[in-house]
Amino acid sequence: DDGKKHGAVIVFPGGGYTMKAAHEGAPVAERLNELGLHAFVLDYRVAPYRFPVPLLDAQRAIRLVRSRAAEWNVLPDKVAVLGFSAGGHLAGMCGTGDPAAADPVERQSCRPDAFAPCYGVLNLNHTRRADLFATMIGKGDPDLATVRSISPAYAVTKETPPCFLW
């Protein structure tokens, strides 16, 4: 740490919302540190927890980094998220939504300034995997409205932050 303010990236490892892949967490954050960014790895809740719990964890992490920006030398308007697979889906969900909140940390915006969903499923209507739906929401065959509500592709607007998609 050079003591200067830098942008931050919160890394969301993948793991199908049943676990978190270690190789998509700390090694990625360490490389981002080497590149001059502050990096954090989110240990979000997975099964038996279901949506929206992982999303609430991710949004809280964004708000937490912003609320402690001065202490951690983070530029509060340069907070991005990067996620792999299920973490990519989570990054997409963060990048396309911003619910209201009340406490001091939650008064910080949970909208990242940029996001990078890495091989994330952004349109769950294309997969229609009963096992994934069961893990995420507790039922294997949700209606279209539910599928759309957990598919970031349906929520992109002109306010959606910049995205690097791969």
Side-chain angles (χ1 to χ4, degrees):
D1 185 8
D2 62 7
K4 296 179 183 175
K5 291 186 183 277
H6 295 279
V9 178
I10 305 169
V11 179
F12 305 156
Y17 290 111
T18 61
M19 50 81 73
K20 289 172 290 302
H23 68 281
E24 294 173 342
V28 175
E30 289 166 4
R31 180 65 180 131
L32 292 168
N33 288 151
E34 291 169 4
L35 296 172
L37 295 166
H38 295 294
F40 304 86
V41 179
L42 178 62
D43 185 16
Y44 59 94
R45 290 173 284 179
V46 296
Y49 296 97
R50 296 191 172 108
F51 256 73
V53 173
L55 178 59
L56 296 173
D57 291 346
Q59 292 169 332
R60 178 75 178 184
I62 295 166
R63 289 178 172 128
L64 179 64
V65 169
R66 286 198 172 112
S67 74
R68 300 189 65 184
E71 176 185 349
W72 293 340
N73 287 327
V74 168
L75 295 166
D77 61 341
K78 301 287 184 213
V79 177
V81 296
L82 171 93
F84 298 89
S85 193
H89 172 262
L90 194 54
M93 292 294 292
C94 287
T96 58
D98 190 12
D103 82 34
V105 170
E106 290 187 22
R107 279 194 280 270
Q108 301 294 320
S109 172
C110 66
R111 178 188 174 271
D113 297 300
F115 65 109
C118 309
Y119 49 88
V121 178
L122 303 179
N123 185 341
L124 288 143
N125 197 38
H126 289 289
T127 64
R128 283 292 176 176
R129 285 186 33 214
D131 62 327
L132 180 59
F133 287 129
T135 299
M136 288 179 67
I137 60 173
K139 57 183 176 179
D141 190 25
D143 59 45
L144 184 58
T146 300
V147 172
R148 284 176 165 254
S149 75
I150 58 173
S151 294
Y154 293 106
V156 175
T157 68
K158 64 181 181 175
E159 287 80 32
T160 299
C163 172
F164 177 76
L165 178 64
W166 67 279

